[in-house]
């Protein structure tokens, strides 16, 4: 008996996850998944995520997509994203944010309290450190402002999706510049991989 092909699924994700989702898709052979992304900058304007997701889902439905998955956690929306997704019958990643699901929910729960003063970095944030932090905050021109922006942090925690020395150097240099302790955790793709793999069971 011929095995049924998985249902086509559109993943609407945060732009900060694009590279990682594509890497998981290739590694697992998830050819039935199509990816579209909302701007990564919304990570810093979570109040805008629900409306952007609502519009993206409506567009996808108009294009004929029946199965849609949100490549987001709550991401600081305070439950507003869930209200949009529930209205459309769309599921999302479990957890409060990508820093949690990269580590795995159980592991994150175990370190959450100790990480209250941690400044998290990921592969994406290492690649985009200048664009997302140095230039917008003016630290490239006024590094003395670092204490104003990061004075409440005690450590930089690099959640590494890949073992890339050039990215780790960015994280280490950031910790040194900010005068913070440094810690690397090799997380890989965490809960992102099994979440996408489960989409292949749809038929």
């Amino acid at each position: 008996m011929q095995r049924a092909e998985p249902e086509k699924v559109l993943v609407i994700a945060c732009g900060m996850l694009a590279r990682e989702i594509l890497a998981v898709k290739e590694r697992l052979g998830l050819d039935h998944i199509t990816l579209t992304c909302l701007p990564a900058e919304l990570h810093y304007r979570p109040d805008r995520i629900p409306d952007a997701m609502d519009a993206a889902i409506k567009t996808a439905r108009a294009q004929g997509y029946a199965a849609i998955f949100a490549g987001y956690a709550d991401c600081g929306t305070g439950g507003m994203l869930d209200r949009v997704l529930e209205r459309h019958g769309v599921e999302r990643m479990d957890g409060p944010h990508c820093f949690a699901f990269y580590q795995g929910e159980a592991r994150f729960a175990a370190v959450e309290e100790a990480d209250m003063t941690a400044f998290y970095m990921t592969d994406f944030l290492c690649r985009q450190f200048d664009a997302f932090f140095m230039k917008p905050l003016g630290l490239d021109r006024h590094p003395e402002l670092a204490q104003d922006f990061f004075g409440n942090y005690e450590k930089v925690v690099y959640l590494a999706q890949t073992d890339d020395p050039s990215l780790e150097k960015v994280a280490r240099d950031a910790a040194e510049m900010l005068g913070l302790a440094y810690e690397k955790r090799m997380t890989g793709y965490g809960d992102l991989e099994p979440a996408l793999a489960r989409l292949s069971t749809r038929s």
Side-chain angles (χ1 to χ4, degrees):
M1 183 177 178
Q2 186 175 6
R3 186 176 181 180
E5 290 294 324
E7 181 182 12
K8 297 292 184 181
V9 180
L10 175 68
V11 175
I12 303 174
C14 172
M16 293 178 67
L17 304 179
R19 183 189 291 253
E20 288 70 29
I21 289 174
L22 291 174
V24 172
K25 174 183 174 178
E26 180 178 0
R27 183 157 73 181
L28 300 183
L30 304 176
D31 296 333
H32 62 294
I33 288 179
T34 299
L35 173 66
T36 189
C37 290
L38 300 181
E41 290 79 6
L42 291 178
H43 177 83
Y44 297 105
R45 295 301 304 270
D47 57 306
R48 298 183 179 180
I49 293 173
D51 285 345
M53 179 62 72
D54 184 59
I57 293 173
K58 288 176 180 176
T59 297
R61 296 291 193 213
Q63 293 172 342
Y65 285 101
I68 299 173
F69 181 77
Y72 275 88
D74 177 75
C75 297
T77 68
M80 294 299 293
L81 177 59
D82 282 337
R83 292 184 180 90
V84 169
L85 298 178
E86 287 168 7
R87 189 164 65 246
H88 290 287
V90 171
E91 297 178 7
R92 67 164 173 85
M93 292 291 305
D94 291 333
H97 41 63
C98 63
F99 307 126
F101 68 64
Y102 272 144
Q103 296 182 84
E105 282 197 272
R107 183 178 180 188
F108 174 71
V111 300
E112 183 177 9
E113 185 172 347
D115 280 0
M116 288 294 291
T117 57
F119 177 66
Y120 283 129
M121 295 185 69
T122 63
D123 283 10
F124 175 91
L125 291 175
C126 287
R127 291 189 185 94
Q128 302 296 329
F129 190 73
D130 284 347
F132 271 70
F133 297 107
M134 295 296 291
K135 293 178 180 178
L137 298 178
L139 297 177
D140 55 333
R141 302 181 304 279
H142 301 285
E144 69 276 8
L145 294 176
Q147 184 62 30
D148 294 334
F149 292 115
F150 297 93
N152 292 326
Y153 293 103
E154 296 180 356
K155 59 183 177 180
V156 167
V157 176
Y158 172 33
L159 307 176
Q161 283 69 70
T162 57
D163 190 12
D164 187 327
S166 65
L167 297 182
E168 183 173 9
K169 183 178 186 306
V170 174
R172 285 187 176 278
D173 288 349
E176 182 177 355
M177 180 191 71
L178 299 174
L180 302 176
Y182 174 76
E183 180 182 347
K184 177 184 177 181
R185 298 175 191 166
M186 191 69 209
T187 67
Y189 302 116
D191 289 343
L192 182 63
E193 187 162 345
L196 295 178
R198 284 194 294 273
L199 300 180
S200 67
T201 64
R202 301 183 179 190
S203 60

